[in-house]
Amino acid sequence: MIIESTLRPENAVSRTTVNAGDHYIGVVKRGQTLRILDLEGNQAADTLFFSAADTAEHYSAMDTVREQGAVYLTAGSKLISSEGRTMLTLTADTCGRHDTLGGACASESNTVRYDLEKRHMHSCRDNWMQAIVNHPEYGLTKRDITHNINFFMNVPVTADGGLTFEDGISAPGKYVEMVAEMDVIVLVSNCPQLNNPCNGYDPTPIELLVWE
Amino acid sequence: MTHDAHYTTHLPGGHHWSLRLRRGTTLTLTAKQADSNVGLLCYNPENLLERLNLPDTLKAQHTFKLTQGHCLYSDMGRIFASITHDDLGWHDSVGGNLMPHHLLAKGWQPVSYQQAHNDWTRTGFDAFLVELAKYGLGRRDMAANLNLFSRVESDDAGKLSYVSDHCQPGNRVTLRFEMDTLVLLHTCPHPLDPAADYPRRGVDIALGIAEAPNEDDPCYRSRPENARGFANNRLYHLGL
Ligand SMILES: [Zn+2]
């Protein structure tokens, strides 16, 4: 569902550009709005959320999919925690569909998906590991790194139970916006994937904007 | 692919179980009632941080359902188990667990142990937390679980639906473990089960010994990805 935002970038309280292969970790407070902006198109933002009050409560792809009765995320979707609570609500989306089933690229899973020798390429999971090592103040370790959202990714499920990877439906300037229903830690890997043609083998920057 | 059952037991509906299963063993589950559901999680007993990763499992095999020929992947690119036999053709990968807040929302009256003894209404969420705690694990360690015997479909628009009458009494699924695996199971109902009241549906458990897979193995051959997954397991077991 396409819903445009009325928020203006010049009124944002923070704006952060995240280059391809870089990570972002920070807190979005209850009531604040977070926008993830695909600056150049066909990028994937691999995103995890944790309750800032208790990081054992985290975004759950399976709880989200089941509770909204749909496998794709778009405006109106609620992002549900591992404890069944709403963490954030998607309030605007100019892309139309986001994936939460496909998980993140990892050097280990890339050996399976692409080739045993593809292990030495940068990946989202390595990126998250770098983020939690660089920011011990959030108290996150590998055990906290679970299934995520792939904003801007298109991974259709077929009626007979197949899973396909399609070209992105994002484009330069498309964005998704969400309001936090609790204080959340947001952990983003801006995907460095060079094995998958979905980004044209050209990973590009995203921008994160926050409004009060 | 015949294997003698070395151990059998019955897991009643609404209960939980766990065991460290060695590489080369098989776990066969047989539904005793229609619309049975078995929640399953896998961990590496030598490094509990390595665990079942359903997104990697689905993505590697380009599938939304799991059935015979598929493998269950850890987050470290290794195969915990292969599905070597399946009567159902579809096991659910997205339904997750029955949560405590579902009981009243579904019209399922929560019943305490004091009221009903072993017929109390345990949720899959609490069942896994109890088993996880036995290994020093907790809420942050609960991965996305598989729901064996259950079928949840998606239409072209992404709308989900639970399929009733998918599982029939006597339906059987067999997992062959490709590395030592800590297996957690529960028989709590699927969270989308439309039953009028908390359904209590048990399964028979049989453990056996498998023949070692070779390169003609159907799970090895089902996808080129799985051949590489088995190669990662060979590397892990090098010298053993
Ligand atoms: Zn990635």
Side-chain angles (χ1 to χ4, degrees):
Chain A
M1 185 167 48
I2 304 297
I3 293 186
E4 294 197 11
S5 171
T6 56
L7 296 169
R8 298 160 68 94
E10 55 270 31
N11 297 332
V13 294
S14 79
R15 296 182 67 165
T16 311
T17 298
V18 184
N19 284 325
D22 281 353
H23 57 260
Y24 172 85
I25 187 166
V27 172
V28 177
K29 295 273 193 190
R30 181 179 179 182
Q32 288 186 326
T33 298
L34 168 70
R35 178 187 295 181
I36 304 178
L37 172 61
D38 188 359
L39 288 167
E40 298 181 30
N42 290 331
Q43 189 52 20
D46 292 42
T47 305
L48 292 161
F49 295 102
F50 302 88
S51 162
D54 175 7
T55 53
E57 180 176 8
H58 55 83
Y59 170 75
S60 169
M62 306 304 155
D63 288 278
T64 297
V65 162
R66 184 189 64 243
E67 294 302 315
Q68 66 170 352
V71 293
Y72 312 119
L73 304 177
T74 187
S77 298
K78 292 183 180 305
L79 308 185
I80 306 294
S81 79
S82 51
E83 312 272 320
R85 299 198 297 157
T86 301
M87 304 186 82
L88 304 101
T89 301
L90 270 58
T91 47
D93 179 18
T94 60
C95 186
R97 177 188 278 193
H98 308 269
D99 166 64
T100 194
L101 291 180
C105 65
S107 57
E108 292 80 11
S109 68
N110 285 352
T111 67
V112 174
R113 289 191 72 200
Y114 303 112
D115 187 274
L116 293 173
E117 302 311 320
K118 298 287 188 187
R119 174 181 179 96
H120 312 289
M121 299 173 73
H122 195 25
S123 69
C124 283
R125 202 171 170 89
D126 283 0
N127 213 11
W128 286 330
M129 296 299 147
Q130 185 76 61
I132 61 180
V133 167
N134 287 2
H135 294 279
E137 65 272 22
Y138 293 105
L140 299 172
T141 66
K142 177 188 181 275
R143 64 199 296 220
D144 298 293
I145 302 303
T146 61
H147 31 88
N148 60 293
I149 302 172
N150 295 306
F151 287 114
F152 309 118
M153 277 290 287
N154 186 22
V155 184
V157 174
T158 62
D160 64 354
L163 194 68
T164 45
F165 296 84
E166 298 287 325
D167 279 348
I169 48 177
S170 187
K174 298 226 178 194
Y175 59 81
V176 59
E177 212 167 88
M178 59 211 86
V179 60
E181 313 277 359
M182 61 172 74
D183 292 357
V184 293
I185 299 165
V186 53
L187 174 54
V188 179
S189 165
N190 191 22
C191 187
Q193 187 51 252
L194 286 173
N195 294 294
N196 187 326
C198 68
N199 60 7
Y201 306 102
D202 180 24
T204 51
I206 58 169
E207 186 178 5
L208 306 178
L209 301 91
V210 177
W211 288 265
E212 289 292 351
Chain B
M1 193 52 80
T2 55
H3 44 79
D4 298 317
H6 288 246
Y7 173 83
T8 58
T9 188
H10 179 69
L11 183 60
H15 288 261
H16 47 82
W17 185 88
S18 68
L19 193 68
R20 175 179 178 154
L21 287 174
R22 305 288 173 171
R23 174 188 182 199
T25 57
T26 59
L27 167 68
T28 297
L29 300 170
T30 306
K32 302 306 283 181
Q33 285 93 17
D35 289 342
S36 291
N37 181 66
V38 176
L40 175 127
L41 285 174
C42 298
Y43 295 80
N44 178 348
E46 292 179 2
N47 176 5
L48 294 167
L49 290 174
E50 180 174 1
R51 52 204 50 181
L52 179 64
N53 188 303
L54 281 185
D56 283 359
T57 298
L58 302 181
K59 184 166 58 178
Q61 299 172 98
H62 294 245
T63 189
F64 177 66
K65 64 185 178 191
L66 290 165
T67 183
Q68 189 169 311
H70 288 140
C71 297
L72 306 185
Y73 278 87
S74 83
D75 59 274
M76 297 296 282
R78 290 188 272 264
I79 297 172
F80 277 126
S82 303
I83 303 177
T84 55
H85 176 87
D86 178 28
D87 287 336
L88 290 107
W90 191 306
H91 300 271
D92 166 46
S93 63
V94 289
N97 263 323
L98 185 72
M99 308 279 289
H101 68 86
H102 288 142
L103 290 173
L104 281 174
K106 293 171 75 69
W108 292 359
Q109 208 56 46
V111 180
S112 70
Y113 183 82
Q114 177 70 57
Q115 291 170 280
H117 292 169
N118 285 323
D119 284 339
W120 61 310
T121 48
R122 173 72 93 183
T123 63
F125 181 75
D126 285 323
F128 274 146
L129 286 179
V130 167
E131 290 300 333
L132 285 168
K134 296 173 185 177
Y135 304 94
L137 301 175
R139 287 151 64 227
R140 59 179 82 237
D141 302 291
M142 190 159 12
N145 60 289
L146 201 58
N147 283 310
L148 295 168
F149 300 107
S150 294
R151 175 170 179 152
V152 176
E153 295 177 351
S154 167
D155 68 13
D156 288 342
K159 189 172 179 302
L160 280 189
S161 53
Y162 174 89
V163 178
S164 293
D165 298 325
H166 174 58
C167 163
Q168 298 303 319
N171 282 170
R172 188 161 59 88
V173 58
T174 298
L175 303 180
R176 179 185 64 209
F177 289 89
E178 312 294 0
M179 56 190 272
D180 285 8
T181 303
L182 173 61
V183 176
L184 274 56
L185 300 180
H186 69 65
T187 45
C188 297
H190 192 283
L192 297 176
D193 189 320
D197 204 359
Y198 183 98
R200 220 163 271 291
R201 297 161 182 152
V203 294
D204 284 343
I205 294 174
L207 303 181
I209 305 296
E211 292 169 33
N214 57 33
E215 294 192 359
D216 293 326
D217 185 79
C219 295
Y220 182 98
R221 293 179 67 91
S222 62
R223 291 203 61 93
E225 288 88 346
N226 288 348
R228 293 193 286 270
F230 275 96
N232 282 342
N233 280 47
R234 279 200 301 279
L235 171 62
Y236 183 66
H237 293 124
L238 190 66
L240 278 184

